[in-house]
Amino acid sequence: MEIQPGAYLNSKPLFLNCVEWSNDGQVLVCFEDAVHILTPALTGLSSEGEGFTHEGISTKELTTRELDEQQLFDRSIQTSYVVAECFRSAIWSPTGLSKEYGCFLTAVTTKHRVTFYAKPEEGQSSWKRAWNVSRRIYNHVKGYSDESSLEIEVTDNDPWAYAVGDEFEEEEAEFGDEDDEEEGGEDKDDDDNDNNFKEDDPKEDEDSEMQDEDDNGASKRPNKDKDVMLFASHDEVKRFQTLFCAWSPTIITSPLAEKPAILALSHKSGDVTLWSFSRHKGLKFLTEYKTTSTYVNLLKWSNWRVQGNKYTAYLMSSSTNGSVYLTSITIDVMMGQYLHVDITSSTVNMLYSWFEGDFSIPTLLTSWDNLSNHGDQVKFGVSKGISTAFIFLIIKGDTVHVEQDWVSYIPENSSMGPANITWIEDGDYLRLYTHEGQGIVLCMKNNTVEFDLERSQALTDSLMLKYKFQFMEIESKAADDDTVGEGSNIDVIPLLWGSALSFNQLFTALAFTIKPLNDVYNRSDGPFGTFLGFIIHSQREDFNTLDVLCKNTEKYIQDPDFLFTYPVKIFLHEALEYVVNDEDNDGIYVWLATISNLLNSPRTIDTSKDALTRNIYSNTANVAAMVINCIRLQLKFLELPPPVNDELNRLHEKASKMVQHFHIMSVLSFILDCSDEEFKKFDDDDVMVIQLLCDSALSESSIESLLLDTVLKTHTALERCLPELGPFTVLLEEIERAAANVADRKEKKSVGYEKCPICTALVIPSKGTFATCLSGHTWEQCCMTMRVILTPNARKCINCNAKSLQPGSIRALRPSNDDPDRLSLTDTILTKCFKCFKCGYGLTTTDVL
């Protein structure tokens, strides 16, 4: 990653600190005319191909229509509307909030529109608009009632629905495609109906404003066809105009439960609005508070402190009058049915304000805390111009004790100040990157701020090496294209726009420009553009770094909440980026051996509440097998040395069988935990699923004795509790045949139990993704139940593409024999297995046809 040439991005940002690394392993770079999203790819050190995939959003996709704000002003033209609309800032949401269980890209423009973007369909490069947040802000400012009608109502018939609200439905243009302007432009009537900013006849809107009030006295939302954004006062305009956004960390009430988060928005009125977002309720207004009478330009969250059902975080905000404010946000949460989490109340308290006499505008806020680990330490930093000040606090509830008041640090060789600050090593150190491209490491131990010369020199050397390498690449391409010619020997300087530290703190992403000292080029021309590159903070052969990486890997896999609370994707990708080395295979051997050893951990079966879910996704050996499968997928396009490739294939073959067998054993053990009375409630459809799972286990050439014993117990329970649905002689014969020679037997041909939906002939399951009936009709198989997928949509793993039935789909076609409110065994399995059991990733809805 670090030796690959930087990705060329022909633009500049409006503000510094424009780079952010998501929990899904994607790097965001926010520029004026586009937000670039780059996903690093594992290509190997000797690969000549690009080390990333390039996606994003562009201002060309934004409508040019304006709000009717100008009616309020004496001047006919507002400055912000003469200048073309640009992206002011863009950040990532926590992972798991989007429909695809990923991160939202949240963008704020210079015309104050706020939009959530979601990952595009495979093969597309332009991220799709998902939530029109500006419309929700407008409705709040106008006092319209909550748009509950826009949510998906969660009922017993469809408890897994995703709240879609006012999503955009128009087709998106390809990112960076200049030739699609006519197709995606403002002349499309269909697109105009869904645009978030529209102009309509003012008379029409006056009529729409004349409306009834709801029971609470709030105005009802006007008819959507006549709905335009008109404001009655300057105050309404400023309350609407959004300048900055910041996502809180996720709110984890239970590892298995839904994990909402809170979005903070700052406004020109000096207000900060808080909005909760959850998958089942979507975006909801939470509360609003005022910090100042001038613009609030920056926001920064702390982690959450948990005390029972109360969650407290601290939000730092700054104003263009130079002041900085600290506010506590306390919420009460309640976990309901289907693991849904609701925020029932919120309390906001202003704790501190600083710099009220200092009118220098803050340009950067940074923080570190240990609140999520039951600590009480908080460290804040504020950059103003070239100076950065730090404060050390002890916070307990709403009581703030200042351990060390503001300590200022001014870099010696910087006239433009910091571009970004990242905390490392549990808050003991931080890296400060100046706009001139230098790196500074400060020691923050014992409530002091001390310059670390040795670490600073090493960091600056890494940065300078990156800049020089990129300049050599520029010269090489310029010579090939004959664009620089005799002027190639020119003096250049770097300009650093932002940086972002990876999850394991091994890599840093940098957005920088190589700028000639005598710049004769136009702003958007010439070979000296902006690049996104990476530096590594430790040598690849470093034993200590590899040892820490292996210990962290072991710690995470042994954590029963690993697949539910950690950013698995970026953790594995970053680890692979470090250990995969064309020149030395020792690193990947040692790392794979650490995971391989965990495959031999005890595979005990839990019988507590949530037993099925925990057995599959929390067992150390099974999670290690899922990780091996993920590694194989991430390295499938990388040419590995033959010994490494052979070892990985061996582990992958073993892991694939383990996850399949353990899934079946966990499901059958869950069934066997039922009392005889509960077992007798299974109908013929449930019994069919039980037999399909048993048959899948017995079809293997080798079967573990523990799994075979579980299948035998299942057969005994069927004979004892449901003899009228038998006989189960075929299942018993195969169990006896398997028991006769467990270690070495030929693969058994599967037996059909499910009838073809077309011809009613028996469908013969297979080990692959398709099953064929005796008449030749072919169906996709559900990997979790072995049933055929006969509905027009299903669930698909976002990583390995394994497909399974959608919960409730079979129930809609086949009502239960006795109790219509009882979940079938199929739905029970699908509901409790809400992640892919093969690799541990999330599942998203997809069309089968």
Side-chain angles (χ1 to χ4, degrees):
M1 180 186 288
E2 72 280 4
I3 70 166
Q4 294 287 338
Y8 178 69
L9 309 173
N10 189 19
S11 186
K12 299 289 189 300
L14 276 179
F15 300 99
L16 299 178
N17 193 24
C18 59
V19 184
E20 186 172 1
W21 213 315
S22 80
N23 289 340
D24 294 333
Q26 296 166 312
V27 181
L28 169 157
V29 188
C30 181
F31 285 164
E32 292 177 340
D33 58 353
V35 177
H36 300 270
I37 299 172
L38 293 97
T39 306
L42 289 161
T43 57
L45 300 180
S46 60
S47 173
E48 297 181 357
E50 289 187 334
F52 52 83
T53 58
H54 191 183
E55 300 169 339
I57 56 176
S58 170
T59 54
K60 288 181 290 187
E61 300 170 9
L62 302 175
T63 174
T64 58
R65 296 180 182 272
E66 302 171 2
L67 298 173
D68 276 342
E69 300 174 21
Q70 296 184 28
Q71 60 174 325
L72 299 174
F73 299 95
D74 297 330
R75 290 175 295 173
S76 58
I77 297 178
Q78 291 296 304
T79 305
S80 63
Y81 288 89
V82 175
V83 180
E85 186 171 15
C86 302
F87 289 108
R88 176 185 294 273
S89 65
I91 62 170
W92 292 111
S93 77
T95 191
L97 295 185
S98 74
K99 192 173 183 179
E100 298 78 17
Y101 286 93
C103 298
F104 280 125
L105 165 63
T106 308
V108 180
T109 71
T110 52
K111 292 188 179 178
H112 315 294
R113 81 172 84 200
V114 185
T115 309
F116 292 172
Y117 293 83
K119 187 174 177 63
E121 300 294 334
E122 189 172 352
Q124 297 181 359
S125 60
S126 182
W127 278 48
K128 57 187 180 183
R129 291 181 287 181
W131 281 82
N132 179 2
V133 183
S134 294
R135 172 59 63 187
R136 296 301 181 94
I137 301 171
Y138 174 77
N139 290 339
H140 163 66
V141 169
K142 299 297 291 184
Y144 296 149
S145 59
D146 194 20
E147 300 180 75
S148 58
S149 60
L150 291 178
E151 297 174 17
I152 294 294
E153 184 180 0
V154 178
T155 66
D156 289 343
N157 292 329
D158 193 8
W160 309 276
Y162 179 83
V164 294
D166 45 355
E167 287 186 305
F168 296 93
E169 296 179 354
E170 68 267 26
E171 294 293 327
E172 300 293 341
E174 285 296 305
F175 175 63
D177 190 351
E178 300 180 2
D179 299 329
D180 289 340
E181 195 167 319
E182 286 187 9
E183 296 180 11
E186 30 175 316
D187 293 333
K188 291 186 71 176
D189 293 334
D190 292 340
D191 286 356
D192 285 347
N193 291 332
D194 287 329
N195 283 331
N196 51 343
F197 297 125
K198 300 193 273 189
E199 276 186 0
D200 277 339
D201 186 354
K203 292 182 180 180
E204 243 182 28
D205 194 78
E206 288 175 8
D207 295 337
S208 68
E209 292 286 342
M210 303 296 294
Q211 52 193 302
D212 297 330
E213 295 184 346
D214 64 13
D215 295 337
N216 297 321
S219 299
K220 294 180 180 177
R221 186 176 183 229
N223 184 285
K224 188 172 183 179
D225 294 335
K226 298 180 180 180
D227 198 8
V228 293
M229 293 187 184
L230 294 176
F231 300 91
S233 66
H234 291 270
D235 179 65
E236 284 189 356
V237 173
K238 289 185 177 181
R239 287 178 62 202
F240 170 81
Q241 291 177 326
T242 304
L243 297 176
F244 198 77
C245 60
W247 281 97
S248 76
T250 52
I251 300 165
I252 303 176
T253 57
S254 166
L256 305 186
E258 180 183 38
K259 299 171 184 64
I262 294 178
L263 174 67
L265 300 176
S266 69
H267 304 279
K268 281 189 174 182
S269 60
D271 295 300
V272 175
T273 55
L274 302 178
W275 305 75
S276 64
F277 190 95
S278 61
R279 289 181 56 83
H280 84 284
K281 278 200 170 182
L283 187 69
K284 284 295 188 183
F285 173 75
L286 196 60
T287 190
E288 179 179 24
Y289 67 93
K290 196 172 198 64
T291 59
T292 178
S293 59
T294 59
Y295 300 176
V296 179
N297 67 328
L298 295 174
L299 299 166
K300 183 66 177 179
W301 284 90
S302 74
N303 288 306
W304 291 101
R305 169 185 280 137
V306 184
Q307 293 178 315
N309 291 331
K310 289 188 179 295
Y311 288 66
T312 300
Y314 302 92
L315 183 60
M316 194 180 190
S317 58
S318 65
S319 171
T320 53
N321 66 8
S323 299
V324 176
Y325 310 94
L326 180 63
T327 307
S328 69
I329 314 292
T330 301
I331 59 173
D332 289 291
V333 299
M334 179 179 65
M335 187 168 66
Q337 199 174 13
Y338 309 116
L339 300 177
H340 293 158
V341 175
D342 294 315
I343 298 175
T344 57
S345 65
S346 60
T347 305
V348 176
N349 288 316
M350 186 73 71
L351 303 182
Y352 253 97
S353 62
W354 297 284
F355 305 108
E356 292 184 353
D358 181 355
F359 297 104
S360 300
I361 298 176
T363 56
L364 181 66
L365 300 181
T366 183
S367 70
W368 174 90
D369 65 78
N370 59 2
L371 301 179
S372 59
N373 294 325
H374 309 289
D376 51 18
Q377 289 182 297
V378 181
K379 302 176 184 179
F380 284 120
V382 180
S383 293
K384 291 187 170 190
I386 63 172
S387 173
T388 302
F390 300 94
I391 190 170
F392 301 80
L393 305 174
I394 298 295
I395 304 181
K396 297 180 179 180
D398 286 344
T399 303
V400 179
H401 173 68
V402 179
E403 289 267 283
Q404 173 62 55
D405 213 342
W406 294 98
V407 179
S408 294
Y409 174 80
I410 300 176
E412 291 184 0
N413 300 317
S414 175
S415 61
M416 303 179 71
N420 192 36
I421 295 173
T422 55
W423 297 81
I424 58 175
E425 299 183 25
D426 290 330
D428 288 340
Y429 293 87
L430 63 78
R431 297 189 183 112
L432 187 152
Y433 298 87
T434 67
H435 185 45
E436 291 86 353
Q438 294 179 320
I440 296 171
V441 179
L442 300 178
C443 178
M444 310 297 288
K445 296 179 180 179
N446 302 319
N447 301 330
T448 60
V449 179
E450 297 179 358
F451 176 73
D452 192 311
L453 177 62
E454 183 178 354
R455 292 190 179 209
S456 298
Q457 287 178 339
L459 178 58
T460 299
D461 289 345
S462 296
L463 291 168
M464 294 302 152
L465 185 63
K466 185 64 184 179
Y467 304 144
K468 290 178 182 178
F469 178 78
Q470 191 63 55
F471 181 58
M472 292 171 58
E473 186 72 16
I474 294 172
E475 286 191 312
S476 176
K477 287 187 176 181
D480 293 341
D481 299 337
D482 196 24
T483 57
V484 177
E486 296 180 357
S488 59
N489 295 321
I490 59 177
D491 293 328
V492 296
I493 57 172
L495 292 177
L496 185 63
W497 302 105
S499 66
L501 186 64
S502 61
F503 177 76
N504 289 315
Q505 301 186 356
L506 294 174
F507 298 93
T508 289
L510 306 168
F512 60 94
T513 297
I514 303 296
K515 177 182 171 62
L517 282 175
N518 299 315
D519 195 353
V520 297
Y521 295 100
N522 181 276
R523 178 177 173 84
S524 59
D525 297 332
F528 304 99
T530 301
F531 301 87
L532 179 73
F534 301 88
I535 59 172
I536 191 170
H537 294 291
S538 176
Q539 295 297 323
R540 290 180 176 272
E541 297 81 13
D542 183 69
F543 174 80
N544 292 329
T545 303
L546 181 61
D547 183 58
V548 171
L549 183 61
C550 290
K551 288 180 178 178
N552 285 339
T553 302
E554 187 175 25
K555 179 183 71 174
Y556 293 152
I557 293 177
Q558 289 177 335
D559 187 338
D561 299 331
F562 174 59
L563 295 178
F564 304 108
T565 58
Y566 286 84
V568 180
K569 188 173 184 179
I570 188 174
F571 166 73
L572 291 179
H573 184 92
E574 185 182 358
L576 287 169
E577 284 281 5
Y578 183 79
V579 299
V580 174
N581 190 340
D582 293 347
E583 300 175 355
D584 183 10
N585 297 331
D586 292 343
I588 190 169
Y589 272 127
V590 172
W591 189 64
L592 286 177
T594 301
I595 305 173
S596 177
N597 291 336
L598 296 175
L599 293 175
N600 300 320
S601 302
R603 288 187 288 168
T604 56
I605 296 296
D606 188 12
T607 59
S608 62
K609 183 184 178 184
D610 302 320
L612 178 55
T613 304
R614 281 298 190 181
N615 284 334
I616 295 175
Y617 303 111
S618 297
N619 181 274
T620 298
N622 207 43
V623 172
M626 294 182 192
V627 169
I628 291 291
N629 291 339
C630 290
I631 294 171
R632 178 70 276 179
L633 280 172
Q634 293 206 29
L635 297 178
K636 63 181 178 181
F637 297 120
L638 186 64
E639 187 176 348
L640 296 169
V644 176
N645 193 60
D646 292 343
E647 174 65 11
L648 185 57
N649 286 336
R650 181 188 69 82
L651 291 174
H652 175 54
E653 183 178 359
K654 178 180 179 180
S656 298
K657 289 183 178 180
M658 280 184 62
V659 294
Q660 183 71 34
H661 289 178
F662 200 71
H663 171 76
I664 295 174
M665 186 165 65
S666 298
V667 173
L668 294 181
S669 298
F670 173 77
I671 295 169
L672 291 173
D673 286 337
C674 297
S675 63
D676 284 356
E677 290 184 1
E678 293 174 323
F679 205 102
K680 290 177 181 179
K681 292 181 181 179
F682 289 142
D683 56 22
D684 52 353
D685 189 84
D686 299 329
V687 171
M688 178 193 69
V689 173
I690 295 173
Q691 290 179 297
L692 284 171
L693 292 170
C694 291
D695 184 74
S696 177
L698 295 170
S699 64
E700 298 287 344
S701 58
S702 60
I703 180 172
E704 299 178 50
S705 57
L706 183 59
L707 177 57
L708 181 61
D709 182 59
T710 304
V711 174
L712 178 59
K713 291 179 180 178
T714 304
H715 173 268
T716 302
L718 288 171
E719 291 282 11
R720 182 179 70 252
C721 300
L722 299 169
E724 68 279 6
L725 298 179
F728 304 102
T729 54
V730 175
L731 178 60
L732 180 60
E733 289 173 1
E734 185 51 36
I735 292 173
E736 293 173 347
R737 192 178 300 116
N741 192 354
V742 174
D744 184 19
R745 58 188 266 272
K746 294 182 179 180
E747 291 187 6
K748 161 192 167 293
K749 186 176 181 180
S750 296
V751 177
Y753 294 101
E754 187 174 13
K755 293 183 179 179
C756 175
I758 295 178
C759 65
T760 69
L762 291 178
V763 178
I764 307 301
S766 71
K767 288 186 176 181
T769 58
F770 294 94
T772 305
C773 78
L774 297 175
S775 299
H777 298 119
T778 301
W779 301 86
E780 283 195 276
Q781 282 187 142
C782 169
C783 64
M784 294 185 179
T785 63
M786 304 308 295
R787 299 187 66 148
V788 300
I789 300 177
L790 69 161
T791 55
N793 56 60
R795 299 187 301 182
K796 183 175 74 171
C797 174
I798 60 176
N799 183 41
C800 69
N801 295 325
K803 287 186 178 179
S804 59
L805 286 163
Q806 184 84 332
S809 56
I810 296 296
R811 182 182 185 185
L813 299 176
R814 183 205 60 81
S816 179
N817 291 351
D818 301 319
D819 184 1
D821 294 327
R822 184 182 69 86
L823 279 181
S824 66
L825 179 60
T826 297
D827 281 343
T828 301
I829 296 171
L830 297 174
T831 304
K832 292 185 177 294
C833 300
F834 53 84
K835 286 180 172 287
C836 177
F837 74 85
K838 296 185 177 183
C839 66
Y841 277 60
L843 306 172
T844 185
T845 304
T846 183
D847 290 334
V848 174
L849 302 178

